[in-house]
Amino acid sequence: MVLRMSRLMLKTLRDDPADAETASHKLLVRAGYVRRSSAGVWTWLPLGKRVLENVARVVREEMDAIGGQEVLLPALLPRENYEVTGRAGEYGDLLFQLRDRKGADYVLGPTHEEIFTQVVKDQCTSYKDLPVILYQIQTKYRDEARPRSGVLRGREFQMKDSYSFDTTDEGLAEAYRLHREAYIKIFSRLGFDYRIVSAVSGAMGGSASEEFLAPAAAGEDTFVDCPACDYAANTEAVTTVVPPVEGAAHPPLEEVDTPDTPTIETLAAHLGVPASATLKNLLVKVDGEIVAVGVPGDREVDLGKLAEHLAPAEVELVTAEDFTGRPDLVRGYVGPQGLTGVRYLADPRVALGTAWVTGANKPDTHARNVVCGRDFEVDEYLDVVTVEPGDPCPRCGAGLKLDRAIEIGHIFQLGRKYADAFGLDVLGQNGKPARVTMGSYGIGVSRAVAALAEQTADGQGLCWPREVAPADVHVVAAGKALQTELALEVAEKLHAAGVRVIVDDRAGVSPGVKFTDAELLGVPTILVVGRGAADGVVEVKDRRTGEREELSVAEAVSRVSA
Amino acid sequence: MVLRMSRLMLKTLRDDPADAETASHKLLVRAGYVRRSSAGVWTWLPLGKRVLENVARVVREEMDAIGGQEVLLPALLPRENYEVTGRAGEYGDLLFQLRDRKGADYVLGPTHEEIFTQVVKDQCTSYKDLPVILYQIQTKYRDEARPRSGVLRGREFQMKDSYSFDTTDEGLAEAYRLHREAYIKIFSRLGFDYRIVSAVSGAMGGSASEEFLAPAAAGEDTFVDCPACDYAANTEAVTTVVPPVEGAAHPPLEEVDTPDTPTIETLAAHLGVPASATLKNLLVKVDGEIVAVGVPGDREVDLGKLAEHLAPAEVELVTAEDFTGRPDLVRGYVGPQGLTGVRYLADPRVALGTAWVTGANKPDTHARNVVCGRDFEVDEYLDVVTVEPGDPCPRCGAGLKLDRAIEIGHIFQLGRKYADAFGLDVLGQNGKPARVTMGSYGIGVSRAVAALAEQTADGQGLCWPREVAPADVHVVAAGKALQTELALEVAEKLHAAGVRVIVDDRAGVSPGVKFTDAELLGVPTILVVGRGAADGVVEVKDRRTGEREELSVAEAVSRVSA
């Protein structure tokens, strides 16, 4: 059906909404694709619904192609499911919670691992029933503290979530590979510029979890990108490359008086050395025991990384009380040399044979020429410092860049965590119960719309890739009756040729407003029926490049249909 | 894509679920279409999702055909919207309510009139922007006190709701007509046996609201059906046909002693008259004032109808206290003759010239030959008694039947109620603000699946109309390798011819189980590849009629594709 703007509910705006910060938020509202209902909760207006549906269709086609079976689970879920796995607590305030008239506790599902596990437990009893890949495109809920950026991070949003169920690790790896390939097809078809990055460090298995990131200034994720090779990674997943240590002999350890040097900066300035030559020692409690973590003074410890490395042990920062009764620990002046009974973890840069300025374990005193392996030992090396721009690429050694991105997909080998929680076994080939292993795979469907808008919009407005655009061509009738008549005729011809058409047949709207709206709406091809109409000539314009060409109606129809 | 049962997640059950009462509940669970998540909350498994999607597709096509514009509104909605219209209170415990992390009150939308009104207020500013028909197919929530009957009455369910916006009453009437025609197409295409009934009595405007009812034993609605003509109505909407009153002269009013006659039955027996000859007088308080309602003794007053007729006045039953200080009102012996200062409402059967046995306004005493118009006056006639089987059809006079049905659709001219509540005006043609008038139109999409199952299932299982069936043909490979090979070949040929195919290629499952499953699943055509496979002969069976025919593969493919 030809979409006629004279009948379409559409109000475009000239001004950005006051609260909008990102391009997608501004433009999706201005172009009448979405409308705010409440904080982080959005209405999809007719054009927005079309784009959303186009994304969903591509996702559905590629999920079907890898044998995914579409189902639809509820959003209203008994809270107890999330208590079994401990995720009710982990999600905390992110969970929307409610009680029904009988007092039973429910949550609005933020993601469905628990429920899918139970569905499969109910439906599959034998190894013959597996493997299975199930998916749904469904509404999810997360009570974000600061919902913002329009539909990029909403509190109610559309997601494709899928789950694989296998009896063997090889089966899980295959389901993961199938999803990876499907995601590559999906994001390529949708017209994304994207990177696939490891979501966890190599230590944990490398490919067990990967994120699909769409580079965009509005992104909330930071990732590491090598300008020289194709290496890209989540900042948490970058492995440290340690430059070779020069074999120089170091002078003996020497203590120096360093009053008024409370920070690395003041210390480095006082001694006239770079911050990278100092060794910073962070004290933490690991399951209640005090542990020191040594990193170069110019680096920050990523506490999330540290906690992940030491899990399941619990990591806490030390407090003033922890120093009472410990005269060996001098706050602000800790050094690894002579530390006894304290486990010493360190960044790989603190390599054997490297020399440092560090605390002398006395007030107002530091030590220099403190050499690793000579003056102190490292109990364990950990990759726990933040990546900095210019750090060497672990693959090619070039200086890394740090970029912003939007996470548009995530694939994850869950393993047996949920199957263990719910006792999901099937009869194995050997006649014994076999515990099932799972994968979980997500695509933010509504987020993808915003992310595409971020990546493709230009100064004039939205600029959709063809596969997701609300139409293939936007026919503009400049205004006169003859032009409108021809525009509608051209629209019908294009429609008959299988082209999706919007036609601007509005009366009483100036050509200038119509052209501006066409640019703002972002349909890939704009076909103007204007001055040439009397001679059967129209203008075909590429929305992205701005290239335009005058053609006869027949030529234009055949060009656009091709 | 050919759906192979060897890979489909499907577990059929031989036994009905313990808590299931209705055919659709039993069969949809047994055939693996749906699975209970919690009370009134359901998971749609792969086959169920297909049927659900087929219903949604038909609805979408017909809504698009009348110019409906598809949108998607949130389910999570600020409670304040429902306070503005007073519906938060009206819904009461039916509303799922929750609070977000900041303490703001939300509800899960039970229906969206309030929010659509606001969307249109935001998007449409001039009469030129109207008329508009908006629709969505979306998840709705109602915290039913007793969710039951499977997906027939769930607490989370799929609904198509649409809303029309016009500046004139004629426009609303046209939007209503368009919806009525679309609904007729939709329910016919879906394969329903259905009736369109007036939802309110003629007094309120007749066509302002109609229900689409699917007759079914499991239905929760009762409706009136004329076996002689095409009259059908909601029981509340039937108008009373008063038989002509005979002109006989009545003997004078006579009081009779009637001890121990506390009920109509005992009174009628005592006096040897039918209950229909007695006049029952119900006392109610209307906005605090006592009013009497007279109806024949064999009829019950429908308090809902009464309240609707007297709205917005508030109707309450009288209590013992209301009789104190009113010696004129003798409890159990009220008669309209001599009642002073009490308004007397009556059923139309209490016509001028009719004579009754009724209370004598004295304890233990009744009066006979109490004639309407001679001994008492009726202040107002009201249609407030329940319909009984055999009552005359208001159209043709034949005796009416009462049947059970499932409400599958509802169309309703709302008028300006919501526009008034939210101040929805557009600039009128005369340059002045024009208040918008609305219609609201619903189809229970998930309910339609259950209702179709109710109407079409037979002793063997489900039996889908083609348009909603999860496939057109169910190919059964009886079991041998040669048969499975041919079955898959036939399946691919049918698929290539545009036929939607399920093929039962499961290994290690007996032919008997496969045949039983095929009947249970209810795909319209069953194609068995069995003994004749070696000779290229297959059996084509009609699921509904059971008619079967042996055909060559080529004949079978061409027959099924046709």
Side-chain angles (χ1 to χ4, degrees), chain A residues 1 3 6-11 32 34-35 37-39 41-47 49-50 52-53 60-61 64-65 67 69-78 81 93-94 96-102 106 108 115 118-125 128-129 131-132 134 137-139 141 143-147 155-156 158 507-508, chain B residues 1 3 6-11 32 34-35 37-39 41-47 49-50 52-53 60-61 64-65 67 69-78 81 93-94 96-102 106 108 115 118-125 128-129 131-132 134 137-139 141 143-147 155-156 158 507-508:
Chain A
M1 195 152 9
L3 193 61
S6 60
R7 295 170 190 173
L8 179 67
M9 185 178 74
L10 174 71
K11 189 168 84 172
V34 301
R35 176 184 180 276
S37 171
S38 63
V41 182
W42 292 83
T43 286
W44 294 82
L45 296 171
L47 293 180
K49 180 67 172 71
R50 287 183 169 226
L52 189 68
E53 199 51 43
R60 195 170 269 130
E61 285 170 5
D64 288 344
Q69 303 182 43
E70 188 171 2
V71 295
L72 181 62
L73 270 64
L76 183 67
L77 300 168
N81 295 304
D93 284 346
L94 268 182
F96 278 109
Q97 309 208 26
L98 66 163
R99 205 159 263 178
D100 75 1
R101 69 197 298 157
K102 290 181 177 151
Y106 283 83
L108 299 182
I115 322 298
Q118 290 178 74
V119 167
V120 169
K121 187 174 178 181
D122 184 54
Q123 298 287 313
C124 301
T125 50
K128 291 181 197 164
D129 298 333
V132 156
L134 301 174
I137 295 177
Q138 192 239 23
T139 308
Y141 295 86
D143 196 358
E144 300 283 350
R146 286 177 299 144
R155 298 200 295 166
E156 171 175 323
Q158 302 296 313
Chain B
M1 195 152 9
L3 193 60
S6 59
R7 295 170 191 174
L8 179 67
M9 184 178 75
L10 174 72
K11 189 168 84 172
V34 300
R35 176 184 181 276
S37 172
S38 64
V41 183
W42 292 84
T43 285
W44 293 82
L45 296 171
L47 292 181
K49 180 68 171 74
R50 288 183 169 227
L52 189 67
E53 200 50 44
R60 194 169 268 131
E61 285 170 6
D64 288 344
Q69 303 183 42
E70 188 171 3
V71 295
L72 180 63
L73 270 64
L76 183 67
L77 300 168
N81 296 304
D93 284 345
L94 269 183
F96 278 110
Q97 310 208 26
L98 67 161
R99 205 160 263 178
D100 74 1
R101 69 198 297 158
K102 290 183 176 148
Y106 283 82
L108 299 182
I115 322 299
Q118 290 177 73
V119 166
V120 169
K121 188 174 177 179
D122 184 54
Q123 298 287 314
C124 300
T125 49
K128 290 180 196 163
D129 298 334
V132 155
L134 300 174
I137 294 178
Q138 191 240 24
T139 308
Y141 295 86
D143 195 359
E144 299 283 349
R146 287 178 297 145
R155 297 199 297 166
E156 171 175 323
Q158 302 297 314

Side-chain angles (χ1 to χ4, degrees), chain B residues 194-511:
Chain B
Y194 67 95
R195 305 277 188 289
I196 307 176
V197 305
S198 286
V200 291
S201 76
M204 286 190 68
S207 69
S209 175
E210 287 167 293
E211 288 169 2
F212 288 72
L213 297 181
E220 295 188 339
D221 284 13
T222 305
F223 78 106
V224 161
D225 207 5
C226 178
C229 73
D230 65 352
Y231 180 78
N234 190 304
T235 51
E236 274 108 69
V238 178
T239 45
T240 303
V241 180
V242 181
V245 178
E246 287 162 31
H250 298 288
L253 185 153
E254 172 193 8
E255 292 190 358
V256 286
D257 212 26
T258 52
D260 301 325
T261 53
T263 64
I264 292 291
E265 287 69 35
T266 50
L267 172 68
H270 182 79
L271 296 180
V273 297
S276 61
T278 68
L279 177 61
K280 185 160 65 176
N281 299 290
L282 178 78
L283 297 181
V284 293
K285 280 189 292 182
V286 179
D287 278 347
E289 177 210 3
I290 289 184
V291 163
V293 182
V295 303
D298 62 338
R299 298 280 165 169
E300 296 302 325
V301 172
D302 181 324
L303 291 171
K305 269 181 157 179
L306 182 63
E308 198 176 294
H309 270 286
L310 297 175
E314 189 144 340
V315 177
E316 294 166 281
L317 291 177
V318 293
T319 61
E321 290 168 17
D322 294 309
F323 289 88
T324 57
R326 294 292 300 255
D328 56 324
L329 300 179
V330 184
R331 211 171 184 192
Y333 297 91
V334 172
Q337 70 288 5
L339 260 192
T340 51
V342 173
R343 199 148 62 101
Y344 194 64
L345 314 179
D347 180 68
R349 290 174 190 83
V350 187
L352 264 185
T354 53
W356 304 88
V357 169
T358 191
N361 301 308
K362 294 174 192 167
D364 294 336
T365 314
H366 280 85
R368 65 168 110 206
N369 304 322
V370 183
V371 176
C372 180
R374 183 187 78 184
D375 302 318
F376 68 94
E377 305 286 338
V378 171
D379 293 311
E380 189 181 346
Y381 283 106
L382 293 180
D383 244 325
V384 294
V385 299
T386 50
V387 185
E388 303 289 342
D391 276 357
C393 169
R395 191 167 298 159
C396 76
L400 292 170
K401 285 193 307 162
L402 285 183
D403 283 321
R404 310 287 291 169
I406 299 162
E407 184 187 328
I408 49 175
H410 194 167
I411 53 179
F412 192 40
Q413 298 193 19
L414 290 173
R416 295 182 169 82
K417 173 182 168 180
Y418 292 90
D420 285 343
F422 292 100
L424 169 57
D425 291 331
V426 292
L427 182 73
Q429 228 166 332
N430 59 4
K432 290 179 188 159
R435 180 103 329 161
V436 171
T437 181
M438 288 170 58
S440 148
Y441 317 88
I443 289 180
V445 172
S446 42
R447 172 180 287 186
V449 175
L452 274 175
E454 286 293 336
Q455 285 198 330
T456 59
D458 59 22
Q460 275 63 56
L462 297 165
C463 188
W464 297 111
R466 190 166 300 274
E467 184 101 49
V468 300
D472 295 308
V473 57
H474 185 133
V475 177
V476 178
K480 292 187 182 144
L482 173 77
Q483 293 162 345
T484 302
E485 206 174 297
L486 183 59
L488 288 171
E489 194 183 309
V490 171
E492 286 302 338
K493 277 185 183 159
L494 287 166
H495 174 63
V499 177
R500 298 170 305 145
V501 189
I502 293 182
V503 56
D504 192 347
D505 59 339
R506 289 177 293 177
V509 174
S510 77

